[in-house]
Amino acid sequence: MVWRRIRKSIEQHGRAALVSVIGVEGSAPREVGARMVVEPGAGFLGTIGGGCLEYETLALAEAALAAEAPSAAVRVWPLGPNLGQCCGGSVTILTEIFDAGDLEDIRRLAAAEQAGPFVTISRMTEHGRIVREISHAGVGGAAAGKGFIRQPFVEQFGETRTTVLLFGAGHVGRALVLALSQLPFSVRWIDSRADQFPKYAPANVITIRTDGPEREVEAAPAGAFILIMTHSHPLDYSIAAAALRRPDLGFVGLIGSATKRARFASQAAKLGIGAPQIARLICPIGLPDIKGKEPGIIAAGVVAQLLIERERANRETQATPP
């Protein structure tokens, strides 16, 4: 998280820089909202697209960190021969320096970021600093417009994460949790056996021991993804049936073979689950061209499948009129 990392850098090193893409014209390596947090000593988190653009902006941020007073500066970078990049467009970069005097505002923004995605109405003051006020109008359609430095402009922070309910803490479940740890998912990792969970889990994972996993399906938010890989085929089928009864859920995946899917489909039909609902079940899971059966390889294929599905769901959401 951007503001939490800035707060940590100031608390540990006294200063931090934030490099933000606030404007894009034509083709560019990253979109508006891409950011890097730069710490004294050349440590940084995030990327604005790599290459010479990133190298040059890092050098400028490091030089600004060594200056006496906190500041903000805007520069337009043409992505042509001078940078050795052939994108052909241009990007506008905002570089800000923060110190201990900014901690109150940074802690406020870090708390908002911890709670979920949010937007700010931002403006540059006559003293060359960016002032941000949190907007409560929602995040839809947030974007920086032309003239964004002389006039208030909109920034979006935080990440919209897709909820994944992962049923099963076996070898593949563990591999999936690790593979999902750096991706835009919030994972609820569910098993009836408390001793199956590792001592520590990634920050985006909540472990849940329950004897009623179907209740977790019932409580899942709309659009959640379901991954089923418990130690019991009957339990797998029960969870899958509960998930398919909810048409508002997203991806529903069951680990196993085509034979396992056929058996489930037969049982589901007897339970009154219709053919359109059964058709939503993905089994086997993963990308078909990835044949390896090791847990890490299975996890890689499944995560790629989830990312594809997430992109598709996001496109459909954006295309739907409000």
Side-chain angles (χ1 to χ4, degrees), residues 1 113 116-118 156-161 182-185 310:
M1 292 188 179
E113 193 174 46
F118 70 100
Q156 182 170 332
F157 295 95
E159 193 170 42
T160 301
R161 293 177 174 266
Q182 300 298 312
L183 298 173
F185 297 98
R310 185 176 187 271

Side-chain angles (χ1 to χ4, degrees), residues 167 213-218 226-230 232-254 260-261 263-274 276-283:
F167 293 91
E214 297 87 352
R215 291 193 296 271
E216 290 292 324
V217 175
E218 294 168 4
I226 309 295
L227 286 173
I228 307 163
M229 51 191 69
T230 78
S232 163
H233 280 203
L235 183 57
D236 283 351
Y237 293 163
S238 178
I239 296 168
L244 294 177
R245 288 190 176 100
R246 282 197 54 181
D248 62 334
L249 294 179
F251 181 93
V252 180
L254 172 66
K260 183 176 181 179
R261 190 191 191 286
R263 289 177 178 172
F264 169 79
S266 176
Q267 293 189 20
K270 293 175 183 177
L271 293 173
I273 299 175
Q277 294 167 293
I278 295 171
R280 293 173 51 220
L281 180 69
I282 305 300
C283 179

Side-chain angles (χ1 to χ4, degrees), residues 73-148:
V74 177
R75 179 168 174 175
V76 178
W77 294 83
L79 300 175
N82 289 341
L83 273 181
Q85 294 190 222
C86 58
C87 297
S90 67
V91 295
T92 303
I93 301 293
L94 168 64
T95 302
E96 301 172 78
I97 306 300
F98 304 96
D99 64 11
D102 300 304
L103 271 175
E104 182 177 349
D105 282 339
I106 288 168
R107 286 172 178 151
R108 172 178 59 89
L109 293 166
E113 193 174 46
Q114 181 68 33
F118 70 100
V119 299
T120 63
I121 306 301
S122 309
R123 61 182 177 85
M124 180 177 279
T125 70
E126 60 184 7
H127 303 294
R129 304 298 307 281
I130 302 297
V131 174
R132 293 176 171 91
E133 296 296 331
I134 295 174
S135 170
H136 299 286
V139 300
K146 293 183 178 179
F148 41 74

Side-chain angles (χ1 to χ4, degrees), residues 140-220:
K146 293 183 178 179
F148 41 74
I149 286 303
R150 295 183 180 86
Q151 302 175 7
F153 61 101
V154 176
E155 294 179 282
Q156 182 170 332
F157 295 95
E159 193 170 42
T160 301
R161 293 177 174 266
T162 300
T163 298
V164 175
L165 274 64
L166 172 57
F167 293 91
H171 295 302
V172 177
R174 288 181 176 228
L176 269 165
V177 161
L178 292 176
L180 292 166
S181 64
Q182 300 298 312
L183 298 173
F185 297 98
S186 293
V187 182
R188 296 177 65 82
W189 195 10
I190 303 155
D191 203 294
S192 60
R193 307 161 297 167
D195 60 351
Q196 292 297 300
F197 293 116
K199 186 176 182 180
Y200 300 105
N204 66 330
V205 175
I206 297 173
T207 59
I208 300 167
R209 197 218 67 82
T210 178
D211 292 322
E214 297 87 352
R215 291 193 296 271
E216 290 292 324
V217 175
E218 294 168 4

